[in-house]
Structures are given as C-alpha cells and as structure tokens.
Amino acid sequence: MRANCSSSSACPANSSEEELPGGLEVHGNLELVFTVVSTVMMGLLMFSLGCSVEIQKLWWHIRRPWGIAVGLLCQFGLMPFTAYLLAISFSLKPVQAIAVLIMGCCPGGTISNIFTFWVDGDMDLSISMTTCSTVAALGMMPLCIYLYTWSWSLQQNLTIPYQNIGITLVCLTVPVAFGVYVNYRWPKQSKIILKIGAVVGGLLLLVVAVAGVVLAKGSWNSDITLLTISFIFPLIGHVTGFLLALFTHQSWQRCRTISLETGAQNIQMCITMLQLSFTAEHLIKMLSFPLAYGLFQLIHGFLIIAAYQTYKRRLKHKHGKKNSDCIQVGHTRKSTSSKETNAFLEQEEPSLNVQPSSFC
C-alpha cells in the first residue's frame, strides 16, 4: 500500500528542522514492554476470560451474529470515519493525521474484554467481537486506510503488520479455547480463575501503561492538539458505539459491551505499523499519539467501571431498603423502577435466566 507525499516544505516528513532526541527508544525498551509483556499478558488474560465463555452461548452468537455485525460496523465504520473527521477538523500535519487514522483503523484491543467483565457486559459477545475484528483487520485495515488517504499528499509506504495480526489471533483464540474447555469441564474452578484473572489483568494493564509511558518518555512531545484528540477520540468511540447499539435495539448489556469494544483499540498494533512504515524522524511526531490514546482509554475505562459499579451498588441498596420497607407495611404492589433497573443491569443469555423478583 502506498500513499504519495509531495516534496513540498509543507509536509513535515520532508523537513529536518527538528533534531532527533537521543532518548528515542522505539526498538529497545518500548518494543520489550509493548510486545513481550503485552503478549504474555494477553495470553494469560484471555485464558481467564475464556473461562466465562460457554459453548452454547458462543454458538448462539455465531448463529445470530447481529451483535457482532453491529460491533464490526462500529469498529471499521465509525472509528475510521471519526479519525478522519478529527484529522480534518484539527488541521493536523500529514504525518500526525496518518497516525490518528491508523489508530482508528485498528481492531479492538484485549483491554475491552476486561472492561466488559467489570460492567457486567456480554463476555461471549465481547470476545467474539475482538476475535472477529482482528480477523477482519486483515482486509479492512488496508481498505480503510486506502479509502481515507487516497486524496492526501503523503509519500510513504504503509506496511500492514500482518505478522502482528496473526500473533494477536493466536494469543486470542488458543487461550480462549483452553478457557472454554476448563469452563466446560470444571465450571466451579473456572469462576475462581475468572475472578483472579480479571483482577490481575487490571493490575497488569496499569503496570504496562505506567512502564510504557516512562520508558517511552523520549517519544513524547508537547503537541497539545494530539493530546486533545487522544483524549476525546476514545470517548467519541464509546458514545457512538453505545448509541448505534441502542439504535439497532440491542439489549442494555450488549450496548455496554459494544460501546467498550468500539472505543478500546489495539494500541500495540498501531505502534507496530508506525514502526514498520516510518523513520525515526517521523516517529518523533507520531508515536506520542498512540501512547496517549492508550493511557486515556485506560483512564476512561476505569472511570466507566467506577461509575457503573457505584450506580449498581446505589440501586441495589435503594431497592433493598425499599423492599424491606414494603415487607413491613405489607404492600403487594409491583415496583416499576425495579423492573427498569433489572432491564439496565440485565445479563442477556440465550438460555433462561431467573431474575430476582421485584415485587414488594
């Protein structure tokens, strides 16, 4: 794939006004942190999250892939288009614009699976979406990049990291398959593995994020525009993903899942593609964006989890107190607000799930 760049002085990729900082550590420590540690983390994490997947539910999503289709539309429809609009609206320089666009064209990241677990989302749909978006990235990434850059004046060979995509697929499917098997054979033990994996996975995400920021300090620049975009881009993904899922009449549980899957991108894949496609001089102006995006999507995710868990506890406390008061008075009236709460906190299953009674 090729996007042509003119040799005009307006293109920062052809200017040498900025000198390379000596602390740029792209192929050293940064490679170690975001490749080795992330790969090991992904494998262990997906094994533990795979323990939440049931074969019947997974097959149900495959037979009725409406939720997966909506997620893929968000991933390769909304996100690349949003990236393009942000690059145009903020009048970014060419090399910065291509970094934003590449991020928007990347598939969903494993981090979304952790977030989905903590907001009581549909884990079967989440893992299915992550896997399907990674497979679809083999064709959709070059297609989206070509469609949105054909009119841009960039002269650079863009290398799609097919090897990285393949590694990601292996790290997704193999551990998940083992997790599904463990859940099938030992369902009680799988619940313990799932809880431990979710907590450890969250802690590992924090460690990788902090280590990545510290070790890549030579790659940061003071471009406020890129930092602003990296802050609002994940939020736009979460909001638009939620609204599209709601518009297509998905359940609340699926809406939360698709929202988190849309805003959480595969940071490692974006960094790998930038490293393969651009020189060190260009990376100075580009690499800070995926790093900042990864940091902000972590912050946004933790805030969403905190807000959801707080809301959930308040509702449970409120309805628990209300039910106890109703029992004392002897009312037999059905609580409408409790039904609405159960609808929002529902966990959609292909099989029947008996919800706690909301009568008082």
Side-chain angles (χ1 to χ4, degrees):
M1 167 177 294
R2 178 183 295 273
N4 294 320
C5 179
S6 62
S7 58
S8 61
S9 59
C11 180
N14 297 316
S15 64
S16 58
E17 296 178 358
E18 295 183 4
E19 295 183 358
L20 293 174
L24 186 62
E25 302 176 4
V26 176
H27 301 286
N29 291 328
L30 186 61
E31 186 77 16
L32 176 63
V33 172
F34 285 95
T35 301
V36 178
V37 177
S38 297
T39 302
V40 174
M41 179 195 72
M42 181 185 299
L44 296 176
L45 183 59
M46 294 312 296
F47 167 73
S48 61
L49 295 180
C51 292
S52 67
V53 177
E54 297 182 12
I55 299 178
Q56 292 181 349
K57 300 176 186 177
L58 187 61
W59 178 243
W60 185 77
H61 281 295
I62 296 175
R63 290 180 58 192
R64 302 177 181 179
W66 183 235
I68 297 176
V70 174
L72 290 178
L73 177 61
C74 293
Q75 196 71 60
F76 296 109
L78 290 179
M79 291 300 282
F81 183 66
T82 302
Y84 180 80
L85 291 182
L86 288 173
I88 298 300
S89 301
F90 284 87
S91 301
L92 293 179
K93 299 176 182 179
V95 290
Q96 295 175 333
I98 197 66
V100 175
L101 184 61
I102 290 175
M103 176 61 70
C105 296
C106 285
T110 311
I111 185 177
S112 61
N113 305 130
I114 304 177
F115 292 159
T116 299
F117 173 81
W118 286 110
V119 298
D120 298 328
D122 190 333
M123 288 300 301
D124 304 276
L125 176 61
S126 177
I127 294 177
S128 300
M129 282 181 58
T130 303
T131 305
C132 291
S133 67
T134 305
V135 173
L138 293 169
M140 292 304 299
M141 278 188 72
L143 177 61
C144 291
I145 292 175
Y146 172 77
L147 291 177
Y148 286 105
T149 59
W150 70 271
S151 62
W152 289 3
S153 57
L154 283 174
Q155 184 177 18
Q156 192 70 38
N157 289 322
L158 300 181
T159 304
I160 305 298
Y162 291 108
Q163 183 178 4
N164 185 268
I165 295 175
I167 294 175
T168 302
L169 279 175
V170 172
C171 293
L172 277 173
T173 56
V174 175
V176 168
F178 277 107
V180 173
Y181 178 76
V182 170
N183 187 31
Y184 176 76
R185 290 295 302 272
W186 305 283
K188 294 183 179 180
Q189 290 80 354
S190 66
K191 293 180 180 179
I192 300 176
I193 297 175
L194 175 61
K195 293 181 180 180
I196 296 176
V199 175
V200 174
L203 295 177
L204 285 175
L205 285 176
L206 287 176
V207 172
V208 170
V210 174
V213 171
V214 172
L215 294 176
K217 60 183 178 181
S219 303
W220 290 91
N221 59 42
S222 58
D223 195 325
I224 303 300
T225 302
L226 278 183
L227 293 178
T228 302
I229 294 176
S230 64
F231 176 79
I232 65 175
F233 196 1
L235 287 178
I236 294 175
H238 292 316
V239 174
T240 55
F242 186 88
L243 293 178
L244 182 59
L246 191 63
F247 178 76
T248 54
H249 305 288
Q250 302 296 308
S251 65
W252 287 111
Q253 186 189 26
R254 285 190 175 189
C255 288
R256 296 194 299 270
T257 302
I258 294 174
S259 171
L260 291 171
E261 287 286 335
T262 303
Q265 298 293 85
N266 193 320
I267 307 300
Q268 181 183 354
M269 194 170 296
C270 178
I271 293 177
T272 301
M273 185 170 179
L274 293 178
Q275 292 176 357
L276 293 175
S277 303
F278 296 91
T279 64
E281 183 179 1
H282 295 163
L283 287 174
I284 299 172
K285 307 163 188 175
M286 306 171 72
L287 198 57
S288 62
F289 176 74
L291 295 176
Y293 188 101
L295 178 62
F296 284 127
Q297 80 173 5
L298 272 176
I299 296 175
H300 297 333
F302 286 133
L303 290 177
I304 291 173
I305 292 173
Y308 175 80
Q309 292 293 335
T310 302
Y311 176 73
K312 181 180 176 181
R313 290 174 184 175
R314 288 186 61 184
L315 285 178
K316 285 186 175 180
H317 176 73
K318 176 182 176 181
H319 293 137
K321 184 177 180 181
K322 190 173 182 179
N323 290 336
S324 63
D325 293 340
C326 290
I327 292 175
Q328 292 178 1
V329 175
H331 287 175
T332 59
R333 181 173 51 86
K334 188 176 183 179
S335 174
T336 304
S337 60
S338 181
K339 287 181 64 179
E340 296 174 352
T341 302
N342 288 339
F344 181 76
L345 300 179
E346 68 173 339
Q347 297 188 10
E348 183 182 19
E349 307 285 353
S351 57
L352 292 178
N353 259 356
V354 180
Q355 297 291 343
S357 174
S358 53
F359 290 84
C360 68

